[in-house]
Amino acid sequence: MNLAGLPADALTSLRNRIDDPARKLYEAGRVARDPKPLRELLDRYFVSRSAEPALLLLGELAFERGEFAAAERYWRALLPPATDSAL
């Protein structure tokens, strides 16, 4: 099932249930600058409102470690899907 493709009201309802634990994981990763809780957030709550800032921060942390390909993968996940017409 594609959770991100849920109708808007169903997605809002889901987010309301998962945003609190997702936010806690994001804050833990942000404060400690630790990618582990951020990756856990994405694994468990990828449709949460905290997923986007988690991807941004994961990209930043990877970039700081010199892991440029990993940083690019995190940041590209924030882009809309490419279409043939976009090429």
Side-chain angles (χ1 to χ4, degrees):
M1 174 182 219
N2 184 0
L3 294 176
L6 287 173
D9 58 335
L11 185 57
T12 299
S13 177
L14 174 61
R15 282 181 171 159
N16 289 339
R17 289 193 310 268
I18 66 172
D19 273 347
D20 188 50
R23 183 182 43 75
K24 289 176 183 175
L25 286 168
Y26 173 72
E27 286 302 317
R30 184 186 66 78
V31 170
R33 299 201 53 85
D34 181 1
K36 185 177 178 183
L38 300 171
R39 286 193 295 262
E40 182 180 344
L41 183 162
L42 294 176
D43 286 345
R44 292 183 178 190
Y45 310 114
F46 70 94
V47 294
S48 72
R49 291 175 182 94
S50 297
E52 184 174 316
L55 284 166
L56 287 170
L57 183 53
L58 278 166
E60 182 180 319
L61 295 173
F63 190 86
E64 289 173 357
R65 291 188 308 270
E67 298 171 0
F68 304 118
E72 183 180 8
R73 279 192 307 276
Y74 288 123
W75 292 331
R76 282 190 181 273
L78 295 166
L79 298 173
T83 62
D84 290 337
S85 62
L87 298 176

